[in-house]
Every structure is written in structure tokens, then in C-alpha cells.
């Protein structure tokens, strides 16, 4: 019993010791720089996710890339800052996905390394512009449906003056798509449906987003692109699809998208119909008793005459369209009037004496409008501006005179 | 939006404060931050249906206001003109054809603007250090409002009327304030020297408002009977 306990303690200490002892580390290549990754062949222009830019530190290959670039080759360019010694040689090894190649010598590959060198031992001829090719399918393992999330390492090993140095270029090969979320009962609204889901299957995954798909007929993974509309990715667990037609059946489904852009399968579809809902203002304005507040904007003349088609209103409208709207100054006046007049118009509309007063006050303007419609538009606008500026100028003059008298 | 109004109020107060840094300078302005319950009289125009309470319920909502007053007379009490801006929001659920509530949210946003004439009887505090002030305010209002539907758009009724507008009216307020300077005169003195704040008051006021476009038959009534409490700084 005692010996057994001693063995257990010894074994534990040994394991702990092995864990704590650092692996012998190989020196990094002095002055190494990855200059870029380029796809070779038709349709092999890489997107930024794979990290073709020289500053990229992580190169991600997702399921879509795996399929898209299958059969392509990648040209990986690198350089050294300083000229190496004349005896310097290098090799390039590529690991299997999830594996690693030996980086301690030029000859050993290792069990989880591809069996052949990407570059066998050769001198460093042009240290400022070195490159080699690797097959894209070797990086991914060739099976895009593998469902794995592993890394492939491309290892460059240099031997210079008897010393070994190495650099690894890491490709994260994420071929694991998230699982389908579970749809809950959708919530019908007025011209909208709120799609709600939960996602226990992807619990623990970070940065999962969701796409909501919808269509007027049932769809699935195979037909979604042809039939359904896809909403922008969201991070929450619900999404409101708007601009729908009340009383019409719509189908909905949701898919999850992981941080590397892998989109999982659709949830089972569900269908529902948007329904008519009275918001507060509609509820106020409809029913057996209609609320008197009309909101919106109306205009002084219409309010005063009680009708948009009254002859004087028609004359003023013509003046607006045919005279004022033909010049920038006139348009500015109309714009300002549109902003200022609605509240005034509302006051007038509610009071008969006010309407009568405004109708009387508008008569000279109606007369002026009918006269100006008979002369060129620029002249008409000029006259109008003059008429508006006149009272303002008079006010300024009176104020100045009063001030002078007091002083 | 109420948070934005609060931030605006604080920023304005901060902008105003440094302008009066001399303790000997005369007092000439006051800023107020005040809050209170609000419930408009919209349903009063109806005899059978009650759309406002059916959608938004019967509980009052918070009204937040910021007010700035310019004191043009500070003899026997203070006479001032002022302006205020506020915000309140009612959120409820739209109604189905059956009259039941739907899951769609609908909101009424209100942005009350007002111009006031104010008289504060603060003579007791100014002359005899009795820390109570009573005041009255009267003025005109313009309540800018808009209603949104379930997707956040401006509402539109079936007869094409848009759910937004501005409603004018008037108000009368009666209030009383307690002068906080009396509790900590030393601190108040420092506040005056460093920030220019001569008097700090806690106040409560009762407000009667008639926001119905002065009795127009084409307007609803956003007025109410309510109270506001707040803090005021006199510079």
C-alpha cells in the first residue's frame, strides 16, 4: 500500500516536472519578414481574410474559402533584413492541419508534417525577395466538410554558420460551422414580424452572429439564396423584419455565423402573417369618435379659406410654383415658410374670426400674385423680396431715429 | 432622450457658471433642473373611447425640464423672463382590431418648450435670511410631439394625417423653495466665489397647463395638472 502511494506521488511529480520543463526553443530567423500571400491561378485572387497583406498576423481559411480556392496554389513571399552568410541554406515544411513539423533541423519532417518538403534544402539566393508555392488543399487537408477547427503551420528553417533558426506561418483552418439556432414563436406586428430564437447548441462560442432569412414561400438551405431575403447579421436573439404586407404569410428561418464567417445550417422554418395594429395616433384618429388633432402640417392660406382648392389659394399656389420656385431665393423663402407656417395655420383653422382676418390680410398678396404672374419670374421674385424687406428696413430706421433722439 | 436633455442641462449650466465669477457681481440669472409626473388630458375630448389610456395606461410618466431665467429686476423680490425645454415619453402597445393589446410598441414623444414671466418673492431671504422663497410663473408653451409606430416610423392615420406636430398653450405655476445656503453658509460662500452661484434652492411647484392651441377645436389637449420638484442655481 505504501509502495503504491509512493509510486503515485513519484508519477505525479514526474508528470508535473514534464509539464513545467520548457521545450527547447529554436531561435527566430533574424530580420525575417513575411511579404505577402498571393493566390495563383484563375479565380484564386485571395480575400483579406486569408491575410494576403504583408502586415497580417493571422491567416484564416473558412469553409467558403476552402471550397472557393480548392485547386489553387499560394505563393508565399518572404525576405530577410540583412544578407545572410554565404553558407546559409533553407527548407520549407508544411504541417498537416492540426499538426506540426520539426523545426530543429533541415532534414526531419515529423509525423504530423506532410511527407515531402515544400522547398527542399536550397541556398538563399535573393534574401530580399524569396518565395515558394504551397498547394491550398494541403493547408486545408482537402476535405472542406471535415468539420474541424485546426491550424496548419508552414515552417521555414534556415541553417546559417551551423546554427538553426525557424519561422512559422500559421493558417487557422476553421471548417467547423456553427449549429442551427432554435426558432421560437414569431411575434406578429403591423407590417412587421419579430423573429425570436435561442441558441443552446452554440453556447460558449464567442462572437456568434445571426442572419434572419425570410420569404413568401417555404425555403431551406438549398433554396434560401434563390428564394429568401437575408437580413444583416445581428448579435441579439431577436430581429424585427419590417415593410411586410399585413395578412400575407411569410416564412422565416435563422442561421448562425461564427467569427470566421462560417455560416451554419438554417433553423427549421416557421411562418406567420403580419397583422393590422393601431398605434396610438391611429387609435386616436379612428373608431366611433375621431380625435380632433390632425397633426401633420397644413398652411396658412388653406387653413384660412378652409379648402385647398379655393380660388385665392389656387392663385397663391400658382405664384409659388411659377414664380417663387423658379429662383433659389424664392425656393429659400418657400422652404422657410413651410417650416414656420404649420403651427400658425393650425391656430387659424380653429378660429372663425382668425380665418376671416387672415383672408382679408391675404387679399393684397393674392392681388400681387395675380399681377406678378403676368411678368417674368425673376422680376416677380425681386419685387416680392423688396416688399418683404421694406417693413424690416423701416423698423430699423425708426429704431435708429429713436436712439438718436435719446442720445 | 431624457438623458440627452439632462446632459444638455448640465453642459449649459457649466457654460453659464464661469461667466459670473466675481462674488460681488449682481445676481442676474437662474438655472433650474426639475422633474415631475406628467399625464396629458388627451382623453378628455372623448365621451366613449379613451385611446390614450387604452394604449399607454393610466400611470403618469416622468417629465424632465431645464429652465433658464434672466432676472431683469432684483429689488423687492426678483422679476425674470425665462425659457425652458423638457422631454417626456409615453410607451405602450398598439391595439388589435379586437381591442386587445398587440406586441407592437407605439410611443408618444413630447418636447415642451416654454417662455415664462417669473416673480420670486425672495426678499425675506435677501434681507432677513429667512430661507424660504415663494414664486409664481406664467407663460406660453409649444409642445412639439410625434408618435411612432411598431417599426419606429412616424405614425400615419388611415385618413393620411401624420402623427407629428406642435401644440401651443399656456401655463401657470405656483411654487415654494427652500434656500440651501442657510444650511451651510460657508460652503455656499465658497460656491459663490468659485462658481458664481449665489443661491442654491430646492423647490416644488404646482403647474396648471392648457396646451390645446388656445381652445382650438382642431387640437388635442396636452395640458395637465401636475407638480415639479427640482434644484435651482442663482448666478
Amino acid at each position: 500500500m505504501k509502495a503504491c502511494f509512493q509510486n503515485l506521488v513519484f508519477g505525479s511529480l514526474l508528470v508535473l516536472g514534464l509539464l513545467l520543463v520548457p521545450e527547447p526553443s529554436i531561435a527566430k530567423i533574424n530580420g525575417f519578414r513575411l511579404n505577402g500571400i498571393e493566390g495563383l491561378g484563375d479565380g484564386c485572387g485571395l480575400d483579406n481574410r486569408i491575410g494576403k497583406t504583408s502586415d497580417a498576423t493571422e491567416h484564416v481559411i473558412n469553409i467558403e474559402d476552402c471550397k472557393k480556392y480548392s485547386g489553387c496554389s499560394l505563393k508565399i513571399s518572404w525576405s530577410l533584413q540583412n544578407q545572410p552568410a554565404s553558407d546559409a541554406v533553407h527548407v520549407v515544411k508544411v504541417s498537416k492541419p492540426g499538426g506540426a513539423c520539426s523545426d530543429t533541423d533541415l532534414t526531419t519532417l515529423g509525423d504530423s508534417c506532410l511527407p515531402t518538403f515544400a522547398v527542399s534544402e536550397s541556398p538563399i539566393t535573393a534574401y530580399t525577395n524569396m518565395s515558394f508555392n504551397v498547394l491550398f488543399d494541403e493547408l486545408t487537408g482537402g476535405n472542406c466538410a471535415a468539420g474541424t477547427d485546426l491550424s496548419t503551420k508552414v515552417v521555414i528553417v534556415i541553417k546559417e554558420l551551423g546554427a538553426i533558426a525557424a519561422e512559422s506561418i500559421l493558417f487557422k483552418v476553421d471548417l467547423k460551422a456553427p449549429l442551427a439556432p432554435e426558432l421560437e414563436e414569431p411575434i406578429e406586428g403591423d407590417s412587421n414580424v419579430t423573429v425570436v430564437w435561442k441558441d443552446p447548441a452554440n453556447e460558449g462560442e464567442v462572437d456568434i452572429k445571426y442572419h434572419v432569412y425570410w420569404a413568401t414561400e417555404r425555403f431551406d438551405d438549398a433554396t434560401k439564396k434563390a428564394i429568401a431575403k437575408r437580413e444583416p447579421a445581428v448579435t441579439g436573439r431577436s430581429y424585427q423584419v419590417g415593410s411586410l404586407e399585413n395578412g400575407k404569410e411569410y416564412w422565416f428561418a435563422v442561421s448562425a455565423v461564427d467569427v470566421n464567417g462560417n455560416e451554419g445550417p438554417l433553423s427549421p422554418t416557421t411562418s406567420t402573417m403580419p397583422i393590422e395594429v393601431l398605434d396610438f395616433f391611429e387609435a386616436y384618429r379612428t373608431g366611433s369618435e375621431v380625435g380632433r388633432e390632425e397633426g401633420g402640417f397644413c398652411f396658412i392660406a388653406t387653413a384660412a379659406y378652409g379648402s385647398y382648392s379655393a380660388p385665392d389659394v389656387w392663385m397663391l399656389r400658382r405664384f409659388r410654383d411659377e414664380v417663387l420656385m423658379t429662383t433659389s431665393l424664392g425656393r429659400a423663402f418657400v422652404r422657410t415658410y413651410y417650416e414656420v407656417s404649420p403651427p400658425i395655420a393650425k391656430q387659424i383653422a380653429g378660429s372663425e374670426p382668425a380665418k376671416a382676418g387672415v383672408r382679408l390680410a391675404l387679399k393684397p398678396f393674392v392681388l400681387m400674385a395675380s399681377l406678378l404672374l403676368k411678368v417674368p419670374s425673376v422680376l416677380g421674385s425681386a419685387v416680392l423680396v423688396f416688399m418683404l424687406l421694406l417693413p424690416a428696413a423701416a423698423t430699423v430706421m425708426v429704431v435708429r431715429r429713436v436712439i438718436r433722439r435719446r442720445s | 432622450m431624457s438623458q440627452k436633455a439632462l446632459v444638455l442641462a448640465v453642459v449649459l449650466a457649466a457654460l453659464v457658471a464661469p461667466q459670473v465669477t466675481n462674488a460681488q457681481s449682481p445676481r442676474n440669472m437662474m438655472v433650474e433642473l426639475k422633474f415631475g409626473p406628467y399625464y396629458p388630458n388627451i382623453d378628455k375630448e372623448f365621451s366613449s373611447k379613451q385611446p390614450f389610456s387604452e394604449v399607454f395606461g393610466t400611470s403618469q410618466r416622468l417629465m424632465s425640464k431645464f429652465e433658464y431665467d434672466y432676472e431683469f429686476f432684483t429689488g423687492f423680490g426678483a422679476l425674470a423672463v425665462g425659457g425652458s425645454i423638457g422631454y417626456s415619453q409615453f410607451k405602450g402597445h398598439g391595439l388589435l382590431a379586437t381591442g386587445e393589446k398587440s406586441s407592437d410598441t407605439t410611443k408618444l414623444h413630447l418636447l415642451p418648450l416654454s417662455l415664462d414671466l417669473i416673480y420670486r418673492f425672495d426678499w425675506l431671504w435677501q434681507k432677513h435670511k429667512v430661507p424660504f422663497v415663494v414664486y409664481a410663473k406664467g407663460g406660453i408653451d409649444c409642445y412639439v410631439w410625434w408618435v411612432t409606430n411598431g417599426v419606429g416610423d412616424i405614425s400615419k392615420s388611415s385618413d393620411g394625417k401624420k402623427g407629428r406636430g406642435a401644440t401651443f398653450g399656456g401655463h401657470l405655476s405656483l411654487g415654494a423653495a427652500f434656500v440651501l445656503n442657510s444650511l451651510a453658509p460657508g460652503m455656499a460662500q465658497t460656491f459663490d466665489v468659485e462658481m458664481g452661484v449665489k443661491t442654491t434652492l430646492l423647490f416644488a411647484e404646482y403647474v396648471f397647463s392648457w396646451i390645446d392651441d388656445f381652445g382650438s377645436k382642431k387640437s388635442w389637449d396636452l395640458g395637465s395638472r401636475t407638480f415639479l420638484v427640482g434644484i435651482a442655481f442663482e448666478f
Side-chain angles (χ1 to χ4, degrees), chain B residues 185-233:
Chain B
M187 197 183 292
Q189 180 69 23
T190 308
F191 205 22
D192 186 6
V193 171
E194 292 187 358
M195 299 287 291
V197 177
K198 305 197 181 312
T199 320
T200 306
L201 307 104
L202 279 181
F203 65 88
E205 63 191 36
Y206 197 80
V207 186
F208 307 83
S209 60
W210 305 269
I211 315 297
D212 57 356
D213 283 334
F214 305 105
S216 167
K217 290 174 187 170
K218 290 201 167 187
S219 173
W220 57 17
D221 186 3
L222 297 175
S224 67
R225 306 282 179 273
T226 188
F227 66 90
L228 294 165
V229 295
I231 189 164
F233 302 98

Side-chain angles (χ1 to χ4, degrees), chain A residues 388-406:
Chain A
L388 290 172
L389 287 178
L390 195 62
T395 308
V396 171
M397 287 171 70
V398 169
V399 169
R400 286 181 64 181
R401 183 171 294 180
V402 170
I403 291 169
R404 265 196 219 126
R405 275 189 184 172
R406 284 187 178 174

Side-chain angles (χ1 to χ4, degrees), chain A residues 98-117:
Chain A
C101 299
S102 167
D103 57 0
T104 55
D105 61 53
L106 298 181
T107 53
T108 311
L109 287 167
D111 292 340
S112 56
C113 193
L114 291 181
T116 54
F117 288 93

Side-chain angles (χ1 to χ4, degrees), chain A residues 5 7 10 21 32 41 46 52 80 86-87 98 103 159 224 235 257-258 268 270 317 324 333 340 377 391 393:
Chain A
F5 179 72
N7 285 343
F10 178 74
V21 172
F32 177 86
L46 303 179
K52 61 182 179 179
L80 297 176
S86 58
D87 71 332
D103 57 0
K159 187 175 184 183
K224 69 181 183 188
T235 53
V257 185
D258 70 16
T270 185
R317 280 196 345 250
L324 294 178
F333 172 77
V340 171
S377 59

Side-chain angles (χ1 to χ4, degrees), chain B residues 70-86:
Chain B
Y70 175 72
E71 295 172 339
F72 58 88
F73 169 77
T74 52
F76 188 73
L79 264 174
V81 288
S84 75
I85 183 170

Side-chain angles (χ1 to χ4, degrees), chain B:
Chain B
M1 189 64 192
S2 58
Q3 284 180 334
K4 284 182 182 172
L6 191 63
V7 169
L8 180 68
V10 172
V11 170
L12 281 173
L15 287 173
V16 164
Q19 293 175 2
V20 186
T21 52
N22 181 359
Q24 302 304 315
S25 61
R27 61 200 174 103
N28 58 13
M29 66 178 101
M30 184 171 275
V31 292
E32 292 180 2
L33 273 176
K34 50 192 175 182
F35 308 91
Y38 170 70
Y39 195 86
N41 293 327
I42 289 175
D43 280 345
K44 285 193 175 173
E45 71 178 89
F46 299 101
S47 56
S48 55
K49 71 174 187 178
Q50 300 283 289
F52 193 84
S53 59
E54 283 167 15
V55 173
F56 297 120
T58 53
S59 57
Q60 297 177 315
R61 305 299 202 277
L62 179 71
M63 170 68 83
S64 308
K65 281 190 169 182
F66 169 78
E67 183 174 318
Y68 171 84
D69 303 335
Y70 175 72
E71 295 172 339
F72 58 88
F73 169 77
T74 52
F76 188 73
L79 264 174
V81 288
S84 75
I85 183 170
Y87 180 74
S88 188
Q89 183 197 87
F90 286 80
K91 183 179 175 182
H93 289 280
L95 302 175
L96 298 173
T98 56
E100 294 170 359
K101 285 201 172 185
S102 76
S103 57
D104 260 7
T105 55
T106 176
K107 292 178 185 175
L108 168 64
H109 304 260
L110 297 132
L111 193 77
L113 309 167
S114 68
L115 289 173
D116 282 273
L117 180 66
I118 303 133
Y119 176 71
R120 282 191 188 85
F121 180 68
D122 58 0
W123 181 81
L124 287 174
W125 166 249
Q126 295 295 340
K127 295 295 176 191
H128 303 290
K129 297 301 172 197
V130 177
F132 294 100
V133 175
V134 291
Y135 61 88
K137 297 177 182 178
I140 55 168
D141 302 78
C142 172
Y143 277 44
V144 178
W145 54 267
W146 62 102
V147 180
T148 54
N149 60 20
V151 291
D153 293 338
I154 296 289
S155 170
K156 197 172 183 180
S157 63
S158 55
D159 57 349
K161 307 294 183 189
K162 281 193 175 177
R164 64 183 176 196
T167 308
F168 288 78
H171 69 272
L172 180 67
S173 305
L174 298 171
F178 175 72
V179 182
L180 290 176
N181 297 39
S182 62
L183 297 178
M187 197 183 292
Q189 180 69 23
T190 308
F191 205 22
D192 186 6
V193 171
E194 292 187 358
M195 299 287 291
V197 177
K198 305 197 181 312
T199 320
T200 306
L201 307 104
L202 279 181
F203 65 88
E205 63 191 36
Y206 197 80
V207 186
F208 307 83
S209 60
W210 305 269
I211 315 297
D212 57 356
D213 283 334
F214 305 105
S216 167
K217 290 174 187 170
K218 290 201 167 187
S219 173
W220 57 17
D221 186 3
L222 297 175
S224 67
R225 306 282 179 273
T226 188
F227 66 90
L228 294 165
V229 295
I231 189 164
F233 302 98
E234 188 179 38
F235 294 89

Side-chain angles (χ1 to χ4, degrees), chain A residues 214-230:
Chain A
W214 60 275
T216 52
E217 56 184 297
R218 191 190 283 269
F219 57 91
D220 56 23
D221 279 299
T223 58
K224 69 181 183 188
K225 277 190 179 172
I227 295 174
K229 288 186 178 175
R230 189 174 83 163

